[in-house]
Amino acid sequence: MTDTPAAARRTPDRPLVVLENVNKHFGELHVLKDINLTVHEGEVVVVIGPSGSGKSTLCRTINRLETFESGRIAINGTELPHEGKELARLRADVGMVFQSFNLFAHKTILENVTLGPMKVRGMKPAAAKEHAMELLTRVGVEHQASKYPAQLSGGQQQRVAIARSLAMEPTVMLFDEPTSALDPEMINEVLDVMTELARSGMTMVVVTHEMGFARKAADRVVFMSDGAIVEENTPEEFFTNAQSARAKDFLGKIL
Ligand code: ADP
Ligand code: MG
């Protein structure tokens, strides 16, 4: 594990996730308003904002779990198609970890991690298993490999969910409040895995209210309010010197 400063890891000329003027509605509700966001290779972007501001919708739209009406989203230089095989392939490039761990309840931990690579990437079982065991070791749950999700703690399950995403060798990882369903004593074990991932150079978009993580791991903080990106800055600047009234108000409530 290296302690390369965040900014040094970034490759400014390699934008991996690009959103241009993305707009989305849920009926009358304008839930994403002209979103412009570029995430470069190796960059860690933390998205914060009040409940209902559109953070989850932003993640789901990047992964095309949601449609959008206008604008453009490109992953690694390729614009997301609307459907079909190409979409499945591109979606596999974008790992996603949710608040609820979403493991397959009737599969073992090992099977949870090997399934995707075998089905989507066409990996042979032996190779998939070897890779899965490496990843389970990386997140510290290798001894749970033959158990079922319900036999693990929430923190362990979330670490398995991270390993399962990594098994697909994604280009970028999206995390949507990955620790907010966890008991307090389990939050750090998951944040530690995410911090290690960030330091290893993974490109990450993380929705979280964990300000310690944001300060430690983020290159950039994006503040959302009412469906719009209101402010973007380095964590230092954002937490000590927020510009907008809405960000100041939000920080006043959570810090
Ligand atoms: P956040 O993650 O920041 O709390 P969300 O992206 O979950 O915000 O939600 C943004 C807004 O969109 C909220 O007002 C929410 O009620 C609304 N919303 C989210 N999902 C749907 C949906 N499937 N249908 C209609 N409205 C939705
Ligand atoms: Mg949300």
Side-chain angles (χ1 to χ4, degrees):
M1 195 156 88
T2 53
D3 246 339
T4 318
R9 281 189 276 107
R10 201 181 309 162
T11 318
D13 52 351
R14 272 214 75 195
L16 283 191
V17 180
V18 179
L19 285 83
E20 283 173 11
N21 302 105
V22 171
N23 283 282
K24 174 174 181 60
H25 290 78
F26 283 124
E28 296 281 283
L29 179 70
H30 196 175
V31 64
L32 296 179
K33 296 175 182 160
D34 254 332
I35 300 288
N36 287 286
L37 179 67
T38 299
V39 184
H40 296 97
E41 183 171 36
E43 199 178 14
V44 178
V45 173
V46 163
V47 180
I48 68 171
S51 177
S53 56
K55 306 178 300 293
S56 293
T57 305
L58 177 70
C59 288
R60 294 171 56 81
T61 304
I62 291 175
N63 207 14
R64 260 214 199 274
L65 293 169
E66 298 283 355
T67 57
F68 55 100
E69 291 94 43
S70 69
R72 130 178 217 284
I73 300 179
I75 307 289
N76 209 358
T78 309
E79 196 161 340
L80 282 185
H82 287 269
E83 56 195 9
K85 267 208 156 132
E86 183 69 357
L87 175 60
R89 199 185 61 72
L90 275 175
R91 197 177 269 157
D93 269 353
V94 184
M96 184 136 173
V97 174
F98 302 89
Q99 180 174 340
S100 51
F101 326 124
N102 289 358
L103 296 176
F104 306 120
H106 302 291
K107 304 269 181 209
T108 66
I109 297 309
L110 182 65
E111 287 164 348
N112 263 277
V113 181
T114 55
L115 211 63
M118 295 196 314
K119 271 187 137 167
V120 180
R121 299 277 196 223
M123 258 177 116
K124 296 274 187 295
K129 184 181 171 185
E130 192 185 332
H131 190 212
M133 286 310 299
E134 279 168 22
L135 291 168
L136 290 173
T137 303
R138 183 172 176 189
V139 302
V141 288
E142 69 276 23
H143 300 303
Q144 323 296 330
S146 58
K147 293 186 181 165
Y148 287 85
Q151 296 174 281
L152 271 60
S153 72
Q156 288 173 324
Q157 288 188 56
Q158 194 59 306
R159 286 183 281 145
V160 173
I162 294 172
R164 183 176 63 173
S165 274
L166 290 175
M168 299 297 280
E169 305 197 311
T171 309
V172 51
M173 288 275 289
L174 309 179
F175 293 83
D176 188 7
E177 301 206 31
T179 60
S180 45
L182 295 175
D183 291 333
E185 73 271 20
M186 294 172 188
I187 291 176
N188 279 333
E189 65 192 54
V190 172
L191 292 178
D192 286 349
V193 166
M194 292 167 60
T195 304
E196 187 272 328
L197 199 57
R199 289 190 175 143
S200 77
M202 176 60 77
T203 307
M204 294 162 65
V205 176
V206 183
V207 178
T208 184
H209 292 169
E210 293 293 332
M211 297 304 132
F213 174 81
R215 282 176 188 272
K216 198 158 58 169
D219 296 289
R220 191 151 47 106
V221 172
V222 168
F223 175 72
M224 279 186 82
S225 179
D226 287 325
I229 293 178
V230 174
E231 200 166 330
E232 274 188 68
N233 220 326
T234 60
E236 300 76 34
E237 273 300 304
F238 182 76
F239 291 122
T240 57
N241 192 20
Q243 299 298 306
S244 63
R246 281 187 281 184
K248 284 180 191 166
D249 180 54
F250 176 74
L251 289 172
K253 285 176 183 144
I254 62 158
L255 290 182

